[in-house]
Amino acid sequence: MKTAVDLIMFDLDGTLADTGPDLADAVNYTRAHFNLEPLPNALVYSHVGYGVEHLLKHSLPQQDQFPEVMRVFLEHYENHLLDKTVLYPSVRGALDCFRDKRRVVVTNKMHRLAVAIIRGLGIENHLDAILGGDSVSDKKPHPALLNEVLQRFQLSPRRALMVGDGDTDVEAGKRAGVVTCGVTYGLGNKKDLAAAQPDFLIDDLIQLSDYFC
């Protein structure tokens, strides 16, 4: 029997969009600015999903120059965030399958960056809201983003679903009392994702329609 939901909350990086290559390029551009060697993409990906501050603090040692690190990174990334970024397969199909539900992005990415990517990829009209890491006081795994969505749409957590590629998504979902679904194809560490024990685990976003209605 399928689980009935009224709201699906999606992570962005590693769940709806493969943003990894553009993020890695921006990190390595910033490292080059400080005369540092580039990092392997996989290493950069391991720091994605926790917000830009986390990404940069774990990718560059210049913490005494952090405002400059942030400035260089954002200046480059905002101009190149759609160079290589693409939607994952089945994203449009999955969003369309649930067109009669509330569909919301809850990401730790800065709101303006998330909106730029979603608009650039042409899926903004498939979503009822976009919340970023700076939309509320705390980022995932804190449940604040999810709680804000539940309150905004006046929906019960028991009728809501959180979908993401990271353990932070699952933890935030559990703390908010919603159903959780992990996706294995994204940027997140698969072992950490499994260890977080999501209620469901899928390999392709279109599989959501196998479990939810």
Side-chain angles (χ1 to χ4, degrees), residues 72-104:
V72 172
F73 173 85
L74 287 176
E75 185 176 279
H76 181 82
Y77 185 56
E78 289 196 71
N79 289 304
H80 297 276
L81 45 69
L82 289 167
D83 285 2
K84 300 174 182 176
T85 290
V86 295
L87 292 175
Y88 284 106
S90 305
V91 168
R92 290 183 186 277
L95 289 172
D96 192 55
C97 278
F98 294 95
R99 58 187 175 275
D100 59 336
K101 311 294 183 181
R102 295 290 190 180
R103 299 158 299 174
V104 178

Side-chain angles (χ1 to χ4, degrees), residues 22 25 33 45 53 82 108 110 114 116 137 161 200 212:
D22 284 330
D25 286 352
H33 178 85
Y45 298 169
E53 296 89 352
L82 289 167
N108 282 343
M110 288 180 172
S137 57
L161 169 66
F200 297 87
F212 303 98

Side-chain angles (χ1 to χ4, degrees), residues 16 63-64 124 140 156 160 182:
L16 295 181
Q63 297 314 305
D64 57 331
E124 186 178 18
K140 297 175 293 184
S156 166

Side-chain angles (χ1 to χ4, degrees), residues 1-204:
M1 181 180 292
K2 294 183 181 182
T3 300
V5 294
D6 299 316
L7 163 70
I8 304 180
M9 293 176 280
F10 297 95
D11 177 47
L12 178 59
D13 300 84
T15 301
L16 295 181
D18 182 2
T19 57
D22 284 330
L23 285 167
D25 286 352
V27 163
N28 284 325
Y29 174 90
T30 307
R31 285 180 62 85
H33 178 85
F34 290 97
N35 299 310
L36 297 169
E37 293 294 318
L39 297 176
N41 281 17
L43 181 56
V44 177
Y45 298 169
S46 70
H47 302 309
V48 172
Y50 305 90
V52 66
E53 296 89 352
H54 178 100
L55 174 64
L56 295 179
K57 286 177 180 177
H58 286 78
S59 300
L60 289 100
Q62 278 72 15
Q63 297 314 305
D64 57 331
Q65 303 175 60
F66 193 73
E68 177 68 1
V69 168
M70 181 75 82
R71 183 195 69 78
V72 172
F73 173 85
L74 287 176
E75 185 176 279
H76 181 82
Y77 185 56
E78 289 196 71
N79 289 304
H80 297 276
L81 45 69
L82 289 167
D83 285 2
K84 300 174 182 176
T85 290
V86 295
L87 292 175
Y88 284 106
S90 305
V91 168
R92 290 183 186 277
L95 289 172
D96 192 55
C97 278
F98 294 95
R99 58 187 175 275
D100 59 336
K101 311 294 183 181
R102 295 290 190 180
R103 299 158 299 174
V104 178
V105 163
V106 287
T107 174
N108 282 343
K109 200 179 206 77
M110 288 180 172
H111 179 259
R112 72 175 189 270
L113 301 179
V115 170
I117 289 172
I118 288 165
R119 283 180 179 165
L121 295 175
I123 58 169
E124 186 178 18
N125 64 341
H126 290 271
L127 299 166
D128 295 285
I130 302 166
L131 279 75
D134 50 350
S135 297
V136 295
S137 57
D138 295 286
K139 296 179 177 65
K140 297 175 293 184
H142 194 283
L145 274 169
L146 285 68
N147 289 335
E148 171 66 22
V149 175
L150 292 168
Q151 183 175 2
R152 184 177 299 188
F153 293 107
Q154 292 295 294
L155 292 172
S156 166
R158 289 174 295 180
R159 300 276 297 189
L161 169 66
M162 177 68 220
V163 182
D165 67 309
D167 56 322
T168 54
D169 302 308
V170 176
E171 183 177 343
K174 289 180 179 293
R175 292 171 70 180
V178 307
V179 182
T180 57
C181 180
V183 300
T184 62
Y185 56 77
L187 302 172
N189 183 290
K190 293 178 180 57
K191 290 183 179 179
D192 291 343
L193 178 64
Q197 298 184 316
D199 298 306
F200 297 87
L201 198 61
I202 59 176
D203 302 315
D204 189 299

